[in-house]
Amino acid sequence: MPTSTETTILRGGEWLIQPSEADSVFTPERLTEEHRLIARTAQDFVDHEVLPKLDQLETKDWALARELVKLGAGLGLLGVDVPEAYGGLGLDKVTSLVVSERLARAASFGATFGAHANLTIVPLVLFGSEAQKQKYLPRLLSGEIIGAYGLSETGSGSDALGARTKAARQADGSFLLNGEKMWITNGGFADLFVIFCKVDGDQFTALLVERGWGVKSGKEEHKMGLHGSSTTALIFQDVKVPAENVLSEVGKGHKVAFNVLNFARFKLGAMCGGGAIGAIAESAKYAATRRQFGQPIGSFGAIKHKIGEMVVRTYAIESLLYRTAGLVDARIAATPHDANDGSAALAAFEEYAVEASIAKVAGSEALDFVLDENVQIHGGNGYVHDYPAERHVRDARVNRIFEGTNEINRLLIPGMLIRRALKGDLPLIPAAKALQDELLGPPSMPSDGDAGGALGDELRAIASFKKTSLMVLGLAMQTFGTKLTDEQEVLMHMADIAIDVFSAESAVLRAGRIHREGAAGRATRRRRPRVRERRGDAD
Ligand SMILES: Cc1cc2nc3c(=O)[nH]c(=O)nc-3n(C[C@H](O)[C@H](O)[C@H](O)COP(=O)(O)OP(=O)(O)OC[C@H]3O[C@@H](n4cnc5c(N)ncnc54)[C@H](O)[C@@H]3O)c2cc1C
């Protein structure tokens, strides 16, 4: 396991109050040969099978979408998160991240793939009964059937638990499903749906519903982007669902929905990171070849600065994604569990739900920045169909809307941290009190020790960011008490501070490690010639 060398497994949110050692942080530089192999497989699949067919997919050719899912399935890309006992590969979450990153360059297909793999296969792995797994997983994994996830409705998007779709329990234990879902990815052609509804009035429940039982699709939505992915309403009129198709338990649908979203948000962050890397490559290539005033535009400082800023922001996103994946994998590895049982992964994603929300918000916003600059670097060519830059912008905009809008995720970040603090799971309150005492006490000189070597200044700045974050958190809790949930402006700022702390620290720890290992490598290389010289002398 790549994470076996993790020295400390921080709990979710603990980085706010604990310094982290660079050695404990997983980074892309630590990918194993196995990770790199699957990354190449996913990349080749996207480059050679998907990207050349994007225009065809955008004509709503869902037969092609199915064919591509099957091709991906044949390469094992659907089974990364699925235990081997059910036909998957049972690989770690770093692999999941690597695959999502690579799929990002074909955003429309990425959405199709995500709704199938992350929002249908993953809920089955995490919550399905043995019979449900045996019945559906093999066909989902082979791409024979396609999945979709139906949570949103016309009247309930962010307020997902306000769903009005109803399931009435029948005498034989089955359910009669009535209602309508909205905006469902793969809605036009999926065969199996994870549908959230209220059973007997108010018990929020997830059901596995087959299209063949009478599910109807609405018309395709006319969207701003993602034209190559299907988005429709789903209509249920007296659809009979057998008793054994409850996913998890009646009344436990919120557990399914929220836990699946923790995982899906992390993967969406990964797709955003991957999309940004692809766009930087496009910008760099264009800047090197487009000439104005007799020279490549890439030689102008303004353009260099843009590309530098795109790289810096993407580096931070990549760093926090790999750090989170490392933490999740380490947590799973440290939890005694049966390899076929999804409970350890479930607990790990619950533990790092704050980090998953950060990945989603920071990833989608960094991506939009990068894609906008990509258009700018392309000039007029960025605004027309002939180049992919404009399509990227349209495709990416929805990342800030689905899987919980960025506002909802921003509210969740401090909300979850405070809830953990109040439960005693995260010692934020004592840390905030200690900070208050420190601030009221005599001024302390900043340590001039060599914290982090070359990046000591940056690490000291991050330590100060953490103090700022704790101060704001403590003061907000003190000032507003239980009414803090109503103070959204404050919560949004608290989220932004937490996002910046996690991003900055992840990037600096990674850079520090690379610097140190690079220095060690350089030292080794400097020694080598002397060895060769001596050998030469001996010869
Ligand atoms: C292309 C696409 C694909 C999708 N795929 C799926 C899918 O496969 N399955 C599925 O179930 N859904 C899917 N969705 C739906 C998506 O998850 C919802 O659009 C999203 O959750 C937002 O809900 P809404 O559109 O009702 O917006 P609303 O909830 O009405 O939000 C409108 C605005 O108000 C803000 N807001 C709402 N509540 C609060 C609050 N309490 N505090 C502060 N601000 C608030 C929001 O942040 C947003 O800015 C998809 C949507 C799109 C566009």
mmCIF file of all heavy atoms in Angstrom, residues 6 10 15 18-20 24-28 97 318-328 466 501-507 509:
data_model
loop_
_atom_site.group_PDB
_atom_site.id
_atom_site.type_symbol
_atom_site.label_atom_id
_atom_site.label_comp_id
_atom_site.label_asym_id
_atom_site.label_seq_id
_atom_site.Cartn_x
_atom_site.Cartn_y
_atom_site.Cartn_z
ATOM 1 N N GLU A 6 2.872 6.313 5.938
ATOM 2 C CA GLU A 6 2.290 7.431 6.670
ATOM 3 C C GLU A 6 2.674 7.309 8.142
ATOM 4 O O GLU A 6 2.512 6.260 8.743
ATOM 5 C CB GLU A 6 0.749 7.383 6.580
ATOM 6 C CG GLU A 6 0.207 7.607 5.192
ATOM 7 C CD GLU A 6 0.117 9.074 4.858
ATOM 8 O OE1 GLU A 6 0.438 9.896 5.730
ATOM 9 O OE2 GLU A 6 -0.256 9.391 3.729
ATOM 10 N N LEU A 10 -3.794 12.031 10.785
ATOM 11 C CA LEU A 10 -4.579 13.098 11.390
ATOM 12 C C LEU A 10 -6.047 12.771 11.243
ATOM 13 O O LEU A 10 -6.467 12.197 10.238
ATOM 14 C CB LEU A 10 -4.314 14.421 10.671
ATOM 15 C CG LEU A 10 -2.987 15.120 10.878
ATOM 16 C CD1 LEU A 10 -3.009 16.451 10.155
ATOM 17 C CD2 LEU A 10 -2.704 15.334 12.355
ATOM 18 N N TRP A 15 -5.777 19.142 11.072
ATOM 19 C CA TRP A 15 -4.693 19.978 10.555
ATOM 20 C C TRP A 15 -4.844 21.445 10.972
ATOM 21 O O TRP A 15 -3.888 22.201 10.944
ATOM 22 C CB TRP A 15 -4.624 19.870 9.019
ATOM 23 C CG TRP A 15 -5.977 19.828 8.383
ATOM 24 C CD1 TRP A 15 -6.698 18.721 8.093
ATOM 25 C CD2 TRP A 15 -6.806 20.947 8.027
ATOM 26 N NE1 TRP A 15 -7.924 19.062 7.562
ATOM 27 C CE2 TRP A 15 -8.004 20.424 7.513
ATOM 28 C CE3 TRP A 15 -6.650 22.325 8.091
ATOM 29 C CZ2 TRP A 15 -9.059 21.220 7.058
ATOM 30 C CZ3 TRP A 15 -7.696 23.135 7.635
ATOM 31 C CH2 TRP A 15 -8.871 22.580 7.140
ATOM 32 N N GLN A 18 -3.060 21.141 14.493
ATOM 33 C CA GLN A 18 -1.821 20.363 14.630
ATOM 34 C C GLN A 18 -0.858 20.735 13.512
ATOM 35 O O GLN A 18 -1.279 20.846 12.371
ATOM 36 C CB GLN A 18 -2.129 18.876 14.413
ATOM 37 C CG GLN A 18 -2.933 18.231 15.476
ATOM 38 C CD GLN A 18 -2.018 17.508 16.441
ATOM 39 O OE1 GLN A 18 -0.807 17.682 16.363
ATOM 40 N NE2 GLN A 18 -2.584 16.745 17.340
ATOM 41 N N PRO A 19 0.411 20.844 13.830
ATOM 42 C CA PRO A 19 1.358 20.952 12.717
ATOM 43 C C PRO A 19 1.486 19.579 12.057
ATOM 44 O O PRO A 19 1.309 18.562 12.719
ATOM 45 C CB PRO A 19 2.669 21.350 13.397
ATOM 46 C CG PRO A 19 2.515 20.973 14.832
ATOM 47 C CD PRO A 19 1.055 20.834 15.144
ATOM 48 N N SER A 20 1.727 19.549 10.765
ATOM 49 C CA SER A 20 1.901 18.265 10.079
ATOM 50 C C SER A 20 3.330 18.124 9.619
ATOM 51 O O SER A 20 3.953 19.104 9.227
ATOM 52 C CB SER A 20 0.988 18.185 8.857
ATOM 53 O OG SER A 20 -0.336 18.090 9.256
ATOM 54 N N SER A 24 4.508 12.835 6.499
ATOM 55 C CA SER A 24 3.246 12.136 6.750
ATOM 56 C C SER A 24 2.226 12.424 5.655
ATOM 57 O O SER A 24 1.121 11.919 5.686
ATOM 58 C CB SER A 24 2.672 12.571 8.101
ATOM 59 O OG SER A 24 2.231 13.912 8.014
ATOM 60 N N VAL A 25 2.609 13.255 4.698
ATOM 61 C CA VAL A 25 1.637 13.698 3.696
ATOM 62 C C VAL A 25 1.860 12.963 2.380
ATOM 63 O O VAL A 25 2.980 12.925 1.864
ATOM 64 C CB VAL A 25 1.781 15.232 3.496
ATOM 65 C CG1 VAL A 25 0.935 15.702 2.334
ATOM 66 C CG2 VAL A 25 1.360 15.950 4.765
ATOM 67 N N PHE A 26 0.787 12.396 1.860
ATOM 68 C CA PHE A 26 0.907 11.703 0.568
ATOM 69 C C PHE A 26 0.895 12.749 -0.547
ATOM 70 O O PHE A 26 0.125 13.698 -0.513
ATOM 71 C CB PHE A 26 -0.236 10.700 0.381
ATOM 72 C CG PHE A 26 0.009 9.777 -0.772
ATOM 73 C CD1 PHE A 26 0.874 8.702 -0.636
ATOM 74 C CD2 PHE A 26 -0.570 10.007 -2.007
ATOM 75 C CE1 PHE A 26 1.154 7.870 -1.714
ATOM 76 C CE2 PHE A 26 -0.305 9.184 -3.084
ATOM 77 C CZ PHE A 26 0.557 8.114 -2.936
ATOM 78 N N THR A 27 1.756 12.546 -1.541
ATOM 79 C CA THR A 27 1.850 13.506 -2.651
ATOM 80 C C THR A 27 1.893 12.745 -3.984
ATOM 81 O O THR A 27 2.220 11.547 -3.999
ATOM 82 C CB THR A 27 3.144 14.353 -2.541
ATOM 83 O OG1 THR A 27 4.257 13.492 -2.819
ATOM 84 C CG2 THR A 27 3.309 14.986 -1.180
ATOM 85 N N PRO A 28 1.608 13.429 -5.089
ATOM 86 C CA PRO A 28 1.629 12.735 -6.392
ATOM 87 C C PRO A 28 3.002 12.162 -6.713
ATOM 88 O O PRO A 28 3.102 11.214 -7.488
ATOM 89 C CB PRO A 28 1.268 13.831 -7.402
ATOM 90 C CG PRO A 28 0.749 14.966 -6.635
ATOM 91 C CD PRO A 28 1.192 14.837 -5.222
ATOM 92 N N LEU A 97 -8.574 8.528 -7.252
ATOM 93 C CA LEU A 97 -8.262 9.926 -7.549
ATOM 94 C C LEU A 97 -7.552 10.046 -8.905
ATOM 95 O O LEU A 97 -7.911 10.892 -9.740
ATOM 96 C CB LEU A 97 -7.385 10.462 -6.408
ATOM 97 C CG LEU A 97 -6.497 11.681 -6.588
ATOM 98 C CD1 LEU A 97 -7.293 12.888 -7.025
ATOM 99 C CD2 LEU A 97 -5.787 12.007 -5.282
ATOM 100 N N GLU A 318 -4.018 20.009 -6.333
ATOM 101 C CA GLU A 318 -3.471 18.656 -6.473
ATOM 102 C C GLU A 318 -2.913 18.179 -5.128
ATOM 103 O O GLU A 318 -3.136 17.042 -4.709
ATOM 104 C CB GLU A 318 -2.370 18.696 -7.535
ATOM 105 C CG GLU A 318 -2.127 17.387 -8.225
ATOM 106 C CD GLU A 318 -0.892 17.462 -9.116
ATOM 107 O OE1 GLU A 318 0.016 18.285 -8.867
ATOM 108 O OE2 GLU A 318 -0.834 16.675 -10.063
ATOM 109 N N SER A 319 -2.215 19.083 -4.451
ATOM 110 C CA SER A 319 -1.591 18.717 -3.173
ATOM 111 C C SER A 319 -2.637 18.346 -2.127
ATOM 112 O O SER A 319 -2.485 17.359 -1.411
ATOM 113 C CB SER A 319 -0.737 19.873 -2.640
ATOM 114 O OG SER A 319 0.183 20.283 -3.621
ATOM 115 N N LEU A 320 -3.704 19.134 -2.047
ATOM 116 C CA LEU A 320 -4.708 18.809 -1.016
ATOM 117 C C LEU A 320 -5.496 17.549 -1.374
ATOM 118 O O LEU A 320 -5.920 16.799 -0.494
ATOM 119 C CB LEU A 320 -5.609 20.019 -0.734
ATOM 120 C CG LEU A 320 -6.692 20.450 -1.712
ATOM 121 C CD1 LEU A 320 -7.994 19.693 -1.530
ATOM 122 C CD2 LEU A 320 -6.965 21.937 -1.544
ATOM 123 N N LEU A 321 -5.650 17.295 -2.670
ATOM 124 C CA LEU A 321 -6.365 16.075 -3.081
ATOM 125 C C LEU A 321 -5.561 14.834 -2.705
ATOM 126 O O LEU A 321 -6.093 13.880 -2.126
ATOM 127 C CB LEU A 321 -6.580 16.083 -4.599
ATOM 128 C CG LEU A 321 -7.696 16.970 -5.116
ATOM 129 C CD1 LEU A 321 -7.557 17.165 -6.625
ATOM 130 C CD2 LEU A 321 -9.063 16.373 -4.791
ATOM 131 N N TYR A 322 -4.272 14.843 -3.049
ATOM 132 C CA TYR A 322 -3.444 13.663 -2.755
ATOM 133 C C TYR A 322 -3.264 13.491 -1.251
ATOM 134 O O TYR A 322 -3.240 12.373 -0.731
ATOM 135 C CB TYR A 322 -2.102 13.750 -3.489
ATOM 136 C CG TYR A 322 -2.243 13.288 -4.919
ATOM 137 C CD1 TYR A 322 -2.689 14.148 -5.910
ATOM 138 C CD2 TYR A 322 -1.985 11.971 -5.271
ATOM 139 C CE1 TYR A 322 -2.861 13.721 -7.216
ATOM 140 C CE2 TYR A 322 -2.153 11.529 -6.578
ATOM 141 C CZ TYR A 322 -2.590 12.418 -7.553
ATOM 142 O OH TYR A 322 -2.769 11.975 -8.837
ATOM 143 N N ARG A 323 -3.156 14.618 -0.553
ATOM 144 C CA ARG A 323 -3.037 14.522 0.913
ATOM 145 C C ARG A 323 -4.290 13.859 1.490
ATOM 146 O O ARG A 323 -4.201 12.973 2.335
ATOM 147 C CB ARG A 323 -2.879 15.939 1.475
ATOM 148 C CG ARG A 323 -2.696 15.970 2.962
ATOM 149 C CD ARG A 323 -2.611 17.407 3.431
ATOM 150 N NE ARG A 323 -2.257 17.483 4.825
ATOM 151 C CZ ARG A 323 -2.218 18.625 5.514
ATOM 152 N NH1 ARG A 323 -2.502 19.759 4.904
ATOM 153 N NH2 ARG A 323 -1.895 18.620 6.781
ATOM 154 N N THR A 324 -5.475 14.291 0.997
ATOM 155 C CA THR A 324 -6.723 13.723 1.510
ATOM 156 C C THR A 324 -6.829 12.245 1.154
ATOM 157 O O THR A 324 -7.195 11.419 2.000
ATOM 158 C CB THR A 324 -7.938 14.515 0.957
ATOM 159 O OG1 THR A 324 -7.775 15.882 1.300
ATOM 160 C CG2 THR A 324 -9.243 13.995 1.517
ATOM 161 N N ALA A 325 -6.500 11.901 -0.087
ATOM 162 C CA ALA A 325 -6.571 10.489 -0.485
ATOM 163 C C ALA A 325 -5.651 9.646 0.393
ATOM 164 O O ALA A 325 -6.005 8.540 0.819
ATOM 165 C CB ALA A 325 -6.186 10.333 -1.958
ATOM 166 N N GLY A 326 -4.459 10.186 0.692
ATOM 167 C CA GLY A 326 -3.520 9.473 1.562
ATOM 168 C C GLY A 326 -4.102 9.264 2.943
ATOM 169 O O GLY A 326 -3.970 8.186 3.533
ATOM 170 N N LEU A 327 -4.765 10.301 3.470
ATOM 171 C CA LEU A 327 -5.372 10.182 4.797
ATOM 172 C C LEU A 327 -6.488 9.130 4.789
ATOM 173 O O LEU A 327 -6.588 8.303 5.692
ATOM 174 C CB LEU A 327 -5.940 11.537 5.241
ATOM 175 C CG LEU A 327 -4.913 12.597 5.655
ATOM 176 C CD1 LEU A 327 -5.561 13.968 5.773
ATOM 177 C CD2 LEU A 327 -4.271 12.210 6.991
ATOM 178 N N VAL A 328 -7.318 9.176 3.752
ATOM 179 C CA VAL A 328 -8.427 8.218 3.655
ATOM 180 C C VAL A 328 -7.867 6.792 3.584
ATOM 181 O O VAL A 328 -8.312 5.897 4.311
ATOM 182 C CB VAL A 328 -9.328 8.525 2.430
ATOM 183 C CG1 VAL A 328 -10.350 7.420 2.208
ATOM 184 C CG2 VAL A 328 -10.040 9.859 2.604
ATOM 185 N N LYS A 466 -3.336 29.427 10.734
ATOM 186 C CA LYS A 466 -4.112 28.523 11.599
ATOM 187 C C LYS A 466 -4.607 29.268 12.836
ATOM 188 O O LYS A 466 -5.730 29.080 13.275
ATOM 189 C CB LYS A 466 -3.261 27.327 12.022
ATOM 190 C CG LYS A 466 -2.960 26.375 10.883
ATOM 191 C CD LYS A 466 -2.273 25.133 11.392
ATOM 192 C CE LYS A 466 -1.851 24.270 10.223
ATOM 193 N NZ LYS A 466 -1.328 22.967 10.613
ATOM 194 N N VAL A 501 -6.179 27.600 4.487
ATOM 195 C CA VAL A 501 -5.191 26.951 5.366
ATOM 196 C C VAL A 501 -4.847 25.560 4.823
ATOM 197 O O VAL A 501 -3.668 25.211 4.682
ATOM 198 C CB VAL A 501 -5.739 26.819 6.817
ATOM 199 C CG1 VAL A 501 -4.818 25.930 7.654
ATOM 200 C CG2 VAL A 501 -5.884 28.186 7.469
ATOM 201 N N PHE A 502 -5.875 24.793 4.509
ATOM 202 C CA PHE A 502 -5.623 23.408 4.068
ATOM 203 C C PHE A 502 -4.879 23.399 2.724
ATOM 204 O O PHE A 502 -3.943 22.621 2.527
ATOM 205 C CB PHE A 502 -6.951 22.648 3.964
ATOM 206 C CG PHE A 502 -6.774 21.156 3.810
ATOM 207 C CD1 PHE A 502 -6.044 20.422 4.727
ATOM 208 C CD2 PHE A 502 -7.354 20.487 2.739
ATOM 209 C CE1 PHE A 502 -5.888 19.035 4.591
ATOM 210 C CE2 PHE A 502 -7.202 19.111 2.585
ATOM 211 C CZ PHE A 502 -6.463 18.380 3.516
ATOM 212 N N SER A 503 -5.278 24.286 1.824
ATOM 213 C CA SER A 503 -4.616 24.342 0.508
ATOM 214 C C SER A 503 -3.159 24.751 0.673
ATOM 215 O O SER A 503 -2.255 24.114 0.122
ATOM 216 C CB SER A 503 -5.268 25.381 -0.410
ATOM 217 O OG SER A 503 -6.638 25.202 -0.476
ATOM 218 N N ALA A 504 -2.948 25.839 1.429
ATOM 219 C CA ALA A 504 -1.587 26.376 1.554
ATOM 220 C C ALA A 504 -0.682 25.349 2.236
ATOM 221 O O ALA A 504 0.433 25.082 1.773
ATOM 222 C CB ALA A 504 -1.620 27.680 2.355
ATOM 223 N N GLU A 505 -1.187 24.753 3.312
ATOM 224 C CA GLU A 505 -0.315 23.813 4.026
ATOM 225 C C GLU A 505 -0.004 22.590 3.164
ATOM 226 O O GLU A 505 1.137 22.115 3.125
ATOM 227 C CB GLU A 505 -0.956 23.373 5.344
ATOM 228 C CG GLU A 505 0.025 22.563 6.165
ATOM 229 C CD GLU A 505 -0.549 22.087 7.487
ATOM 230 O OE1 GLU A 505 -1.579 21.370 7.465
ATOM 231 O OE2 GLU A 505 0.027 22.408 8.520
ATOM 232 N N SER A 506 -1.021 22.094 2.454
ATOM 233 C CA SER A 506 -0.799 20.902 1.623
ATOM 234 C C SER A 506 0.260 21.201 0.560
ATOM 235 O O SER A 506 1.144 20.386 0.299
ATOM 236 C CB SER A 506 -2.106 20.468 0.950
ATOM 237 O OG SER A 506 -3.099 20.239 1.925
ATOM 238 N N ALA A 507 0.163 22.396 -0.049
ATOM 239 C CA ALA A 507 1.115 22.749 -1.111
ATOM 240 C C ALA A 507 2.525 22.912 -0.549
ATOM 241 O O ALA A 507 3.496 22.420 -1.124
ATOM 242 C CB ALA A 507 0.667 24.037 -1.801
ATOM 243 N N LEU A 509 3.835 21.730 2.318
ATOM 244 C CA LEU A 509 4.412 20.466 2.808
ATOM 245 C C LEU A 509 4.932 19.635 1.637
ATOM 246 O O LEU A 509 6.000 19.037 1.699
ATOM 247 C CB LEU A 509 3.369 19.664 3.606
ATOM 248 C CG LEU A 509 3.002 20.249 4.979
ATOM 249 C CD1 LEU A 509 1.857 19.450 5.606
ATOM 250 C CD2 LEU A 509 4.202 20.260 5.920
#
